[in-house]
Amino acid sequence: MLEFDARCSLGGFALDVAFHSEGRVTALFGRSGAGKSTVLNLIAGLARPSSGRIAVDGRTLYDSAAGIDVRPHLRRVGYVFQEGRLLPHLTVRRNLLYGRFFARNGGGASAASLDHVVELLGIGRLLDRRPAALSGGEKQRVAIGRALLAHPAVLLLDEPLASLDAPRKAEILYYIERLRDDVRVPIVYVSHSLDEVVRLADQVVLVSDGKVRAAGPVQEMAASVALRPYLGRHEGGAVIEARVAGQDLESGLARLEFAGGVLYVPDVDALTGETVRVRIRARDVSLALARPEGISILNVLPGTVAELGAADGSSLDVRLDVGGAPVIARITRHSAGRLGLAPGKPVFAMIKAVSLDRRSVGYA
């Protein structure tokens, strides 16, 4: 468990943030300048609160009332910045082993060997190179490995994909997913990309102007009204978890099953039986009062209108209950009136398979 309750002032910026999380990955989400990186610096001991308490797995790192302020190098915190910050005169192997200098006895479940980290991050062929010969994605993988070899009690990732192009982002996301699933170290992940948050996080903390505006499980937060002002008008939606029931190699479609029915999704990089998380954007959902026939749309899900959102110009969001899973449709106010939509009304949600691309699906 991560417990954070701290206040501080940096220049003209005041931060007053409190949250706790038991998730494997806690995402701090919000716009630039919201205070997300300041929270990481307070956890790491690189900045000092004026008051509050910070604890990881029951171990207190800071408590103003009790007079506790553990020095940064004794906190067992692994920190990965936006840039790799590798030592340029050392090879990748020696950069990785540098992390061991900060390892403390009693790493426990978080302890990782060099061989394990190299295999986990796919950097075996890079060991004899120096940082200048690495791509941006390779540098970030090495930086993550160095942090792991310090045997941290918590791993802090401060927008590790921000400086990478799209292919390198996809590459690093895969390795962070492996890290989340294979290494039992809690992660605090800072981002202002909802795609990244949905793929990686269990818990989401929305930070704005130095304060927590909302917090909760990723499925609830993705569909939360509180999140909408911090997204582009086309980025709102919902998240569901589904099991891969089969892969049709000829068509390239995966069959995903969840409580609300079946989704057909292209190019799912997961094995049959595995659980994935699917982000369905509200803009990609259409509604009908009867099950349509003779259409190209593969995904037609029966559901019930749960809530009509407030109007946003000519459009509004309709929250649906689809077998207990939330799905949101963004339609015009004209269409909502023409269909007579109201809470409790049965409808069919239609979702084009091609709208659910690789960025929309990740391991749960």
Side-chain angles (χ1 to χ4, degrees):
M1 177 184 290
L2 170 64
E3 302 171 73
F4 186 95
D5 182 2
R7 287 149 294 284
C8 74
S9 296
L10 298 171
F13 180 77
L15 181 130
D16 185 352
V17 166
F19 65 90
H20 75 277
S21 174
E22 297 181 7
R24 289 175 297 173
V25 180
T26 301
L28 303 181
F29 180 79
R31 298 185 180 119
S32 297
K36 307 182 299 296
S37 296
T38 301
V39 171
L40 295 195
N41 289 337
L42 293 172
I43 295 172
L46 303 182
R48 193 170 187 272
S50 56
S51 64
R53 182 175 184 272
I54 303 169
V56 176
D57 286 339
R59 178 174 177 249
T60 301
L61 304 180
Y62 178 85
D63 190 326
S64 57
I68 297 172
D69 187 5
V70 178
R71 287 182 289 177
H73 67 284
L74 299 177
R75 293 195 177 198
R76 290 185 53 215
V77 170
Y79 205 144
V80 179
F81 299 89
Q82 291 184 23
E83 311 83 22
R85 300 196 183 185
L86 302 178
L87 298 172
H89 61 292
L90 298 182
T91 63
V92 165
R93 184 189 301 274
R94 290 175 65 84
N95 265 284
L96 291 170
L97 292 176
Y98 183 76
R100 283 186 172 176
F101 178 80
F102 298 95
R104 318 297 298 179
N105 292 330
S110 66
S113 70
L114 175 63
D115 289 344
H116 181 212
V117 167
V118 168
E119 187 280 328
L120 178 71
L121 297 172
I123 53 178
R125 62 185 178 83
L126 308 178
L127 291 176
D128 294 324
R129 297 187 193 177
R130 283 189 163 79
L134 303 179
S135 70
E138 289 168 343
K139 289 177 182 177
Q140 287 301 78
R141 281 190 275 159
V142 175
I144 291 170
R146 180 177 62 184
L148 284 177
L149 285 169
H151 296 178
V154 61
L155 186 61
L156 311 179
L157 303 181
D158 189 3
E159 298 198 60
L161 312 185
S163 61
L164 304 180
D165 58 23
R168 301 291 80 76
K169 285 183 179 181
E171 167 193 317
I172 296 298
L173 274 173
Y174 166 75
Y175 287 107
I176 296 176
E177 284 178 327
R178 290 196 65 187
L179 176 66
R180 175 197 65 190
D181 298 336
D182 294 356
V183 181
R184 303 189 67 82
V185 179
I187 298 171
V188 183
Y189 187 92
V190 163
S191 180
H192 55 256
S193 166
L194 191 59
D195 280 329
E196 296 172 22
V197 169
V198 165
R199 281 190 61 170
L200 298 173
D202 305 297
Q203 301 285 320
V204 180
V205 180
L206 173 62
V207 182
S208 177
D209 298 325
K211 298 184 183 298
V212 172
R213 303 300 178 181
V218 64
Q219 289 91 343
E220 292 181 10
M221 289 294 292
S224 171
V225 173
L227 209 60
R228 293 177 196 170
Y230 303 92
L231 303 173
R233 63 180 289 111
H234 300 302
E235 291 303 308
V239 175
I240 63 170
E241 289 192 357
R243 184 182 67 87
V244 180
Q247 293 269 15
D248 185 335
L249 298 181
E250 183 177 348
S251 67
L253 293 173
R255 176 187 170 95
L256 309 183
E257 295 181 348
F258 71 110
V262 174
L263 284 173
Y264 292 96
V265 181
D267 303 322
V268 172
D269 187 17
L271 300 175
T272 299
E274 291 185 318
T275 301
V276 294
R277 187 179 289 164
V278 184
R279 180 184 174 203
I280 302 174
R281 292 175 175 82
R283 67 183 182 186
D284 296 325
V285 181
S286 300
L287 300 180
L289 298 182
R291 181 180 289 275
E293 297 181 358
I295 62 172
S296 65
I297 296 176
L298 296 179
N299 300 309
V300 180
L301 304 171
T304 303
V305 175
E307 179 186 6
L308 296 178
D312 178 12
S314 62
S315 65
L316 56 78
D317 286 352
V318 182
R319 183 185 179 96
L320 309 176
D321 182 336
V322 179
V327 173
I328 297 176
R330 179 162 298 156
I331 63 175
T332 64
R333 290 188 292 116
H334 174 81
S335 293
R338 185 165 54 86
L339 296 176
L341 298 184
K345 191 177 187 71
V347 294
F348 289 87
M350 298 174 290
I351 308 161
K352 293 178 66 174
V354 294
S355 71
L356 304 174
D357 55 23
R358 284 182 177 271
R359 294 186 305 165
S360 303
V361 182
Y363 284 105

